[in-house]
Amino acid sequence: MIPIFRRLFIVKLLLVMLFISQAALATPREDAIKSGFLYNFARYSDGDWFNPDIKSTYNICSFNPEFIVAAKNTLKDLTIKKRLINVYLLTSLQENIVDCNTLFLSRGDSEKWALISENKAFINLMLVGEFDGFLASGGHINFFIVGGKVRFEIDPIKLKNSGINMSSKVLRLGRIHERIF
Amino acid sequence: MNLRQILFGSLNAKLLAILMMVALFSSITIAVMFTIYELNTVTKAEQSRLNSIANILAPNLTAALIFQDEVSAKEQIKPLLDQSNIVSARVEDTEGKAFVGIFSRKNNDIQIFTKLMVVSIPLTMKGVDYGTLTIKADYSLIEQSLIFFSIFLLGILALILILSFILSLFLRKNLIYPLTHLATVAEHVTKTNNYNLRSKVLSRDEVGNLASCFNLMLETIEQRDHSLEEKVQQRTNALKVANSQLTTQAFSDPLSGLPNRRYILDKLSDLITQPSDTHFAILGLDLDGFKEINDTMGHDYGDLLLIDVSRCIADTLPTSATLARLGGDEFIILVENFSSKAFINQIALEIHHRLSSGFSIKNKHVYVTISIGIAIFPDDGNTVENLVKYADLAMYKSKETGRNCHHFFNTIMLEDVLKKRELIDDLRSSLINNEFELYYQPIIDLSTNKIRKAEALIRWHHPVRGMVPPLEFISVAEEVGLIVDIGEWVARTAAQDLAKLKKLGADEHFQISVNVSPIQFKDGGQWMTNWFEYVAGLGLSHDAIIVEITENLLMESEDSVRSQLTKLKKQGVPIAIDDFGVGYSSLSYLQKMDVDILKIDKSFVDDLETKSNSRDLCQIMIMLAEHLSIQVIAEGIENEKQKQILTDLGCQFGQGYLFSKPLPLALFKQKYFDVS
């Protein structure tokens, strides 16, 4: 018979191993969730930012290759307004991000964002980030983690200004960014 | 009284019950229909409401589900629990895993519908199914609504029933009351037979028409009733009159107006059955010779005579006496509480006296006498039958003793009657016992002194009484009709004996005479036919036997008797008139009847020697017979002088003790036909 103490040790060891593995796998899963959120933001939105008549794909762009991998897996074969989703990895700031419909800026892209957004207004592009000050710096939607869950905050005015009419159903789910006029 | 009788015992109750039942049934039917309708409506409305709620929540919940925002989703469905009937709401993903859910333990008092109403709608986004929203609610709201509705309906039902009841009362007054009033009047008429009653005509409909017709019918019945009563009264009066007449007829004699037999016998019976010390006398009366008066003067005279006699007798009677007519010429007088027999005797004498003066009927003076027999209660008898019978016996005694007299009953009369009855009984057996014998008395030719004829005379040898003379029994035999058989026996025996005598050498013209009673001719003379055959069988001629009849027979007999005598005569039988000269001596019958022999009565022969008129009468009779070519026989010759006188007068034959007394056949044969 296995002694009680030995059994307790084995259980504790298994729990630690599980925690470690989860921390290691958190990023791709989180990315997958976030890619899903991007997809759903597009689905609940109308406006000129994406015209399926002139675009063959809905382009989701990001500078984060891990995100791209996760998003491609998550959004494979999905469509927005009957157009397949194309997940596109931006490799440089010079690349034309105008073809992007959604631009995701991960935590590590804050500096890039600073460069891109400087004195520049983006029209027909949904801007989604995940770092502090993103909305204040001109972003539309910003992810944040609460209780281990991905939540988001929205600046509806900027979305409107960018030609994006997001459904109130989504707006209601997110935290409305309060700006100081 | 059971429920059915209470409910349907009267028209009122029936109408009330029917109206209430119709109202109740209609109300319940409508209530059930409305309830079912309301239940469906409320249920559908609740389902629709829940669906609406779900549909309102669905888009946001879809978004929440898509964005895995449990908090938001919960926030959205949590207000559902504020609804009193929603017990849970649950959002599930497509795999059935719960995304969010809420649950509340409601304390709703649910009694009818214990199941839950479930509304489930899919959470879709642009055709893609992301999960399901399921809302469960109890039926408390529906039940409350239904209970409220039911209470409302019950109120309506009660209202309808009250209205129905009021309506039935109204109908009772306007529809049923005329009918019940009519029924009450009809019942009253039936119970009391009072056809003066009338029903009020309370409406102008069929019931009013019925009441009018009923009143007309009552009027008709009343009229008929009156008519019938009048007829019944008339017939009752007629019946009373008829009954009175019948009673009068039943107890009175229509001819004389006197009480009749029934009345007097009933009265006698009543008197006898009275416990008090009653005594009375009855006088039986019978008119003497009334038959002759009836026959000679006619029945109308007879009836008038009876009426006059009735009045005459009634006038003589005291007030305590009652005169009744029994029938024919028989009367009876009842004298109650008489003082003595002398008083009764005086009444009888007075009756005789009053009747002796005679009566004038149709200008003809008629004399009539009466025979009276008297019996007294209780001395002579104690029954009506005996008293009447004893009065009759006494009356017969008066008849026997010469009529026009009265006799009180005594026991000797009864004994005589009993003796007579015994004699009759003995007579009935005498022929069977061969107790009769014929004696023969010779009839002698006075000129030659030779026997020419003989008269057969019957003798009765009774084993106890001894020799009974004919005078004692012939009249009784005639009275009871036995004379017919006896007469036939005499005729046959005489014929038989004559045949024997002929064989012994009797003369060819030797004849035997037999006496024949008038009674023998009353049965149509059948005996003659038999006798002729018998005589022929003996080898005798019809003229060998002489039939002797009395003069009275010829006088009194009817035409039928005369015709039978004529028949005998035509058959060659000689007819002799016996006892000639002592009766009416009407010579006319000698002209009507072809008589062969006259037998002069012994009374004339007895006085031949002493009385010249007897001799003269005998001479006349002999001369009469001689002129009519009739033989003459003188009866009762007892001596030679009488014989000589008769011979001198020309009488041919003689009969009497001078020659011989009647002899038995054996002696007669020995004496006259030399038979030793």
Side-chain angles (χ1 to χ4, degrees):
Chain A
M1 178 178 270
I2 301 170
I4 294 174
F5 292 111
R6 190 177 173 184
R7 283 175 64 189
L8 285 172
F9 175 76
I10 292 169
V11 169
K12 285 178 181 177
L13 183 61
L14 286 170
L15 286 171
V16 170
M17 287 174 69
L18 183 62
F19 177 76
I20 294 169
S21 66
Q22 277 184 341
L25 294 172
T27 301
R29 182 176 175 273
E30 193 177 308
D31 286 342
I33 290 169
K34 287 174 183 171
S35 65
F37 271 48
L38 295 179
Y39 167 67
N40 285 316
F41 288 150
R43 289 176 67 199
Y44 279 99
S45 298
D46 282 321
D48 297 332
W49 107 101
F50 175 68
N51 187 353
D53 294 336
I54 58 174
K55 292 268 182 99
S56 60
T57 58
Y58 185 85
N59 299 321
I60 296 175
C61 305
S62 176
F63 293 102
N64 187 348
E66 289 81 9
F67 175 79
I68 293 298
V69 171
K72 279 187 176 178
N73 289 331
T74 304
L75 304 176
K76 186 182 179 181
D77 296 331
L78 293 178
T79 60
I80 299 293
K81 294 181 182 177
K82 297 183 181 177
R83 293 290 179 263
L84 280 170
I85 296 171
N86 180 28
V87 180
Y88 188 75
L89 177 64
L90 294 172
T91 57
S92 68
L93 294 175
Q94 285 72 32
E95 280 190 74
N96 188 8
I97 60 172
V98 178
D99 290 334
C100 295
N101 298 109
T102 297
L103 176 61
F104 177 66
L105 296 160
S106 57
R107 291 188 192 93
D109 295 333
S110 58
E111 291 177 357
K112 291 175 184 159
W113 167 248
L115 294 173
I116 293 168
S117 62
E118 189 177 329
N119 301 322
K120 205 173 193 176
F122 297 97
I123 300 174
N124 296 331
L125 178 61
M126 185 183 293
L127 296 169
V128 181
E130 58 174 350
F131 47 85
D132 294 338
F134 178 68
L135 293 183
S137 60
H140 297 155
I141 301 168
N142 187 39
F143 288 123
F144 59 93
I145 303 300
V146 176
K149 289 194 174 182
V150 177
R151 303 314 312 161
F152 59 89
E153 58 181 349
I154 298 174
D155 188 341
I157 295 170
K158 283 184 180 173
L159 276 172
K160 186 93 177 175
N161 292 340
S162 295
I164 300 169
N165 294 321
M166 184 165 281
S167 169
S168 62
K169 299 165 194 167
V170 179
L171 295 176
R172 175 171 200 287
L173 295 174
R175 185 192 298 165
I176 302 300
H177 176 67
E178 293 180 2
R179 290 192 297 177
I180 300 169
F181 295 98
Chain B
M1 189 177 285
N2 56 33
L3 183 65
R4 186 185 180 84
Q5 285 176 322
I6 293 168
L7 285 178
F8 301 106
S10 69
L11 207 57
N12 265 331
K14 280 180 187 174
L15 184 70
L16 182 62
I18 289 167
L19 279 173
M20 298 303 284
M21 285 167 81
V22 168
L24 188 66
F25 179 74
S26 305
S27 302
I28 288 173
T29 305
I30 291 168
V32 169
M33 289 170 65
F34 270 91
T35 303
I36 293 168
Y37 177 75
E38 180 66 12
L39 180 63
N40 283 333
T41 306
V42 172
T43 305
K44 283 179 182 174
E46 185 59 21
Q47 280 182 334
S48 177
R49 190 175 75 89
L50 291 175
N51 274 326
S52 297
I53 290 170
N55 283 324
I56 290 166
L57 292 173
N60 291 331
L61 284 173
T62 304
L65 182 60
I66 287 170
F67 289 101
Q68 291 294 300
D69 189 349
E70 295 174 4
V71 175
S72 176
K74 210 162 196 172
E75 281 176 0
Q76 288 181 62
I77 63 173
K78 195 172 181 181
L80 291 176
L81 294 180
D82 293 338
Q83 297 292 318
S84 63
N85 62 326
I86 294 176
V87 294
S88 71
R90 180 185 170 95
V91 177
E92 296 173 348
D93 59 17
T94 52
E95 295 175 352
K97 290 179 181 176
F99 176 59
V100 288
I102 55 170
F103 177 75
S104 174
R105 289 186 181 277
K106 304 283 184 183
N107 292 320
N108 294 328
D109 184 17
I110 302 166
Q111 294 178 344
I112 303 171
F113 305 104
T114 53
K115 289 181 180 178
L116 292 173
M117 186 184 291
V118 178
V119 172
S120 184
I121 63 166
L123 298 175
T124 57
M125 172 66 190
K126 295 188 176 177
V128 179
D129 196 359
Y130 291 95
T132 308
L133 170 63
T134 303
I135 300 172
K136 292 184 178 179
D138 61 28
Y139 279 84
S140 57
L141 285 178
I142 296 170
E143 198 166 292
Q144 284 171 9
S145 174
L146 207 61
I147 288 168
F148 172 77
F149 191 74
S150 299
I151 291 168
F152 175 75
L153 280 179
L154 281 174
I156 296 288
L157 184 63
L159 187 65
I160 288 172
L161 289 176
I162 291 167
L163 287 174
S164 299
F165 185 73
I166 293 167
L167 182 65
S168 73
L169 293 177
F170 175 77
L171 285 176
R172 178 186 175 277
K173 186 176 180 182
N174 289 279
L175 180 65
I176 301 301
Y177 178 68
L179 208 55
T180 53
H181 171 71
L182 182 60
T184 306
V185 173
E187 189 178 0
H188 198 57
V189 168
T190 306
K191 284 180 178 173
T192 61
N193 287 331
N194 181 5
Y195 298 106
N196 292 321
L197 295 173
R198 294 291 181 273
S199 173
K200 292 177 188 171
V201 181
L202 296 169
S203 61
R204 294 187 176 181
D205 54 9
E206 287 86 346
V207 178
N209 195 21
L210 181 64
S212 300
C213 291
F214 178 70
N215 288 339
L216 278 173
M217 193 170 69
L218 284 178
E219 201 166 327
T220 307
I221 291 171
E222 190 183 5
Q223 286 175 356
R224 283 187 191 171
D225 213 22
H226 284 311
S227 174
L228 272 174
E229 279 179 8
E230 285 175 6
K231 282 184 181 173
V232 167
Q233 189 59 43
Q234 287 172 356
R235 289 183 183 176
T236 304
N237 292 337
L239 279 172
K240 280 180 182 174
V241 172
N243 193 34
S244 174
Q245 287 174 347
L246 281 173
T247 306
T248 305
Q249 287 172 5
F251 291 104
S252 68
D253 172 46
L255 178 68
S256 62
L258 295 173
N260 64 4
R261 173 188 289 272
R262 174 184 286 184
Y263 175 85
I264 199 69
L265 293 182
D266 285 352
K267 186 161 186 178
L268 289 173
S269 181
D270 291 342
L271 285 173
I272 286 172
T273 52
Q274 279 178 6
S276 60
D277 187 20
T278 308
H279 66 284
F280 60 84
I282 58 172
L283 290 78
L285 291 81
D286 190 277
L287 292 181
D288 299 327
F290 179 72
K291 185 176 181 299
E292 287 75 19
I293 295 170
N294 241 353
D295 291 345
T296 55
M297 300 179 75
H299 288 278
D300 50 343
Y301 275 85
D303 289 346
L304 291 172
L305 177 62
L306 285 173
I307 293 168
D308 285 351
V309 168
S310 302
R311 286 175 186 162
C312 177
I313 296 172
D315 290 342
T316 65
L317 297 178
T319 52
S320 61
T322 305
L323 173 64
R325 181 177 173 231
L326 298 182
D329 58 344
E330 291 181 39
F331 297 87
I332 198 165
I333 297 170
L334 166 67
V335 184
E336 297 176 61
N337 301 321
F338 59 94
S339 54
S340 63
K341 277 191 175 182
F343 180 72
I344 303 300
N345 194 50
Q346 187 57 41
I347 290 174
L349 289 171
E350 183 66 20
I351 291 169
H352 289 306
H353 174 68
R354 291 289 295 274
L355 290 178
S356 63
S357 55
F359 300 92
S360 177
I361 297 169
K362 291 186 179 180
N363 300 321
K364 287 185 179 177
H365 205 78
V366 180
Y367 289 97
V368 67
T369 58
I370 201 161
S371 297
I372 303 172
I374 303 163
I376 293 170
F377 175 83
D379 301 347
D380 296 333
N382 52 12
T383 64
V384 175
E385 291 78 13
N386 281 344
L387 285 168
V388 172
K389 183 172 75 178
Y390 297 160
D392 277 347
L393 285 177
M395 187 268 289
Y396 289 136
K397 184 67 179 176
S398 298
K399 292 274 186 192
E400 286 171 10
T401 53
R403 303 178 174 183
N404 195 24
C405 59
H406 63 275
H407 280 83
F408 284 89
F409 170 77
N410 60 55
T411 52
I412 297 170
M413 296 175 186
L414 189 60
E415 286 169 7
D416 288 345
V417 170
L418 291 174
K419 282 178 184 174
K420 187 177 177 182
R421 181 164 295 168
E422 286 174 8
L423 182 68
I424 291 167
D425 291 341
D426 289 344
L427 265 178
R428 288 187 195 284
S429 58
S430 60
L431 274 176
I432 299 167
N433 297 333
N434 201 23
E435 293 171 1
F436 291 113
E437 184 183 7
L438 284 185
Y439 276 43
Y440 293 94
Q441 188 173 33
I443 297 172
I444 304 297
D445 186 340
L446 295 178
S447 58
T448 61
N449 284 327
K450 287 186 178 177
I451 185 169
R452 295 294 180 202
K453 308 174 195 293
E455 181 179 3
L457 297 164
I458 193 166
R459 295 290 181 267
W460 182 13
H461 300 286
H462 190 269
V464 178
R465 297 171 191 267
M467 178 69 78
V468 183
L471 282 175
E472 286 187 20
F473 69 88
I474 289 296
S475 59
V476 176
E478 284 181 329
E479 200 176 312
V480 297
L482 281 170
I483 195 68
V484 175
D485 293 334
I486 293 171
E488 190 170 353
W489 178 85
V490 168
R492 283 173 179 257
T493 306
Q496 200 176 342
D497 290 347
L498 178 59
K500 289 175 185 173
L501 293 174
K502 294 276 184 182
K503 287 178 183 175
L504 291 174
D507 186 75
E508 183 187 354
H509 300 290
F510 184 77
Q511 296 171 305
I512 289 180
S513 66
V514 293
N515 293 281
V516 176
S517 167
I519 308 298
Q520 288 179 262
F521 292 102
K522 288 187 178 177
D523 66 343
Q526 181 60 38
W527 70 275
M528 287 191 295
T529 310
N530 301 333
W531 183 63
F532 288 144
E533 290 174 2
Y534 186 74
V535 167
L538 292 172
L540 298 174
S541 60
H542 289 178
D543 62 350
I545 303 293
I546 301 166
V547 170
E548 282 191 27
I549 56 173
T550 61
E551 190 182 15
N552 290 340
L553 173 64
L554 277 178
M555 291 300 298
E556 295 171 4
S557 62
E558 301 164 357
D559 291 341
S560 61
V561 176
R562 289 201 188 97
S563 70
Q564 287 180 50
L565 285 171
T566 306
K567 186 178 171 185
L568 272 176
K569 181 66 187 161
K570 284 180 180 175
Q571 288 287 332
V573 177
I575 305 294
I577 305 297
D578 199 8
D579 302 333
F580 185 76
V582 295
Y584 294 104
S585 297
S586 172
L587 299 176
S588 64
Y589 64 80
L590 294 176
Q591 187 182 6
K592 292 176 183 174
M593 282 293 302
D594 189 8
V595 177
D596 296 287
I597 300 166
L598 286 181
K599 294 185 79 173
I600 297 171
D601 189 69
K602 180 177 179 294
S603 59
F604 295 103
V605 177
D606 287 344
D607 297 333
L608 273 178
E609 298 165 273
T610 56
K611 292 182 179 176
S612 60
N613 58 349
S614 292
R615 195 165 48 246
D616 294 340
L617 284 171
C618 284
Q619 188 176 9
I620 290 168
M621 285 188 276
I622 292 165
M623 285 176 66
L624 175 70
E626 189 178 349
H627 278 90
L628 293 173
S629 302
I630 298 171
Q631 293 180 350
V632 178
I633 298 173
E635 293 180 294
I637 300 173
E638 292 180 350
N639 54 55
E640 282 292 340
K641 196 171 183 180
Q642 291 171 342
K643 178 192 168 191
Q644 190 58 51
I645 293 169
L646 289 166
T647 305
D648 294 342
L649 289 173
C651 183
Q652 292 174 278
F653 300 99
Q655 178 184 355
Y657 278 21
L658 175 65
F659 309 109
S660 174
K661 61 181 181 182
L663 298 171
L665 179 63
L667 287 176
F668 184 76
K669 285 193 289 187
Q670 189 177 4
K671 185 174 181 180
Y672 292 102
F673 296 96
D674 197 19
V675 178
S676 58

